[in-house]
Amino acid sequence: MKQADVTARLYMDIGTNETSGPITPEDYLYTKAQLVETVARTGIAFRYEVEPGAVHNEIAWRRRLPNALAFLYELT
């Protein structure tokens, strides 16, 4: 089987007012900082956007989806 010629790309985002059960916005932002540091060492093309004031719901995700798709499909 031939390996595909694919460049790994990873996109993640977060709103500064996200909560999910016991997880607080501060937890999300701390985890984001750790993740960015870890992924940066891999050489993977990576974008992690923070949207001020955004919460954890479909409306917020819809706003950010165009940027995610553009990055993943290398349109930016």
Side-chain angles (χ1 to χ4, degrees):
M1 179 182 293
K2 184 178 174 184
Q3 184 176 1
D5 184 23
V6 176
T7 301
R9 297 177 76 76
L10 175 64
Y11 175 93
M12 297 181 77
D13 58 39
I14 188 171
T16 59
N17 287 336
E18 294 207 22
T19 59
S20 184
I23 301 170
T24 67
E26 292 78 19
D27 294 330
Y28 276 116
L29 293 172
Y30 172 78
T31 303
K32 175 248 185 209
Q34 299 301 306
L35 182 64
V36 167
E37 182 179 313
T38 300
V39 174
R41 291 192 298 262
T42 69
I44 293 172
F46 178 59
R47 181 176 294 169
Y48 198 125
E49 296 187 4
V50 177
E51 183 180 359
V55 295
H56 191 78
N57 66 26
E58 290 81 359
I59 294 168
W61 303 331
R62 181 177 61 201
R63 274 194 310 272
R64 299 191 299 253
L65 183 60
N67 287 342
L69 294 175
F71 174 73
L72 293 171
Y73 287 98
E74 300 186 70
L75 303 175
T76 59

